Amino acid sequence: MQLRELIQNIDVVNISEFSDSKEILNITNDSREVAPGSLYVAITGFSVDGHNYIIDAVNAGAVAIVVDKDENYFDELCRSNNVSKIRVKDSRKAFADFSCAFYEHPSKKLTLVGITGSNGKTTTSFYVKNLFETAGYKTGLLGTISNIVGDFKEDSQLTT
């Protein structure tokens, strides 16, 4: 997908080294997952700041980076590597917006059921999954025990 398509509905503060013909092949907020053609989104977390890994992302082949800090520190790095630096107000929100655009707004094509509460969420989610499957619907389940889509089952790595 072209960078110009991705930024159309993003609340961008400014862009440096912009080339609207840049092809974005994947989006990540983990510098270890950056490959040539990546859009890297630097997010400040509770214990780790993704901005600290921008150099790693550029060296791994990122063609664009997204930041929410007003720093000029990475301008020369981006300029010398022909990397677009996109500054936004909130990179966490921008990550969600970029991902929605990149993956063609999957939530518009799905019916989602969320289960909240203190106890019984896992049991309830498996009951609901079985009810929908019995009614003939294609289902998926994302939970703390496993992620299931059709016949594919994978142990969960993260808690919900």
Side-chain angles (χ1 to χ4, degrees), residues 113-125 144 160:
V113 175
I115 301 168
T116 63
S118 299
N119 297 307
K121 294 180 294 296
T122 298
T123 301
T124 302
S125 65
T144 55
T160 56

Side-chain angles (χ1 to χ4, degrees), residues 91-108:
S91 59
R92 188 176 306 276
K93 180 180 182 314
F95 185 46
D97 294 339
F98 276 115
S99 296
C100 281
F102 186 78
Y103 293 105
E104 300 174 352
H105 303 276
S107 62
K108 292 180 180 178

Side-chain angles (χ1 to χ4, degrees), residues 6-138:
L6 281 176
I7 64 168
Q8 286 179 352
N9 296 311
I10 306 295
D11 189 16
V12 173
V13 174
N14 64 33
I15 301 176
S16 62
E17 300 306 313
F18 180 70
S19 170
D20 65 357
S21 64
K22 285 185 180 175
E23 183 74 19
I24 303 299
L25 302 177
N26 75 317
I27 298 174
T28 184
N29 67 338
D30 185 337
S31 63
R32 297 167 297 186
E33 295 177 356
V34 172
S38 293
L39 171 78
Y40 173 70
V41 183
I43 297 175
T44 302
F46 293 112
S47 59
V48 177
D49 186 349
H51 294 82
N52 295 337
Y53 299 95
I54 289 174
I55 293 172
D56 296 337
V58 170
N59 288 337
V63 295
I65 60 169
V66 178
V67 299
D68 59 10
K69 293 185 175 184
D70 189 15
E71 298 175 356
N72 296 328
Y73 178 75
F74 297 107
D75 287 351
E76 182 54 37
L77 174 72
C78 291
R79 198 171 10 264
S80 63
N81 288 281
N82 192 30
V83 173
S84 296
K85 182 178 126 184
I86 304 162
R87 191 159 69 85
V88 296
K89 291 180 183 177
D90 181 349
S91 59
R92 188 176 306 276
K93 180 180 182 314
F95 185 46
D97 294 339
F98 276 115
S99 296
C100 281
F102 186 78
Y103 293 105
E104 300 174 352
H105 303 276
S107 62
K108 292 180 180 178
K109 302 170 190 168
L110 301 171
T111 299
L112 300 175
V113 175
I115 301 168
T116 63
S118 299
N119 297 307
K121 294 180 294 296
T122 298
T123 301
T124 302
S125 65
F126 278 91
Y127 283 145
V128 170
K129 177 184 177 301
N130 286 330
L131 284 169
F132 282 125
E133 286 176 341
T134 301
Y137 293 97
K138 292 181 180 179

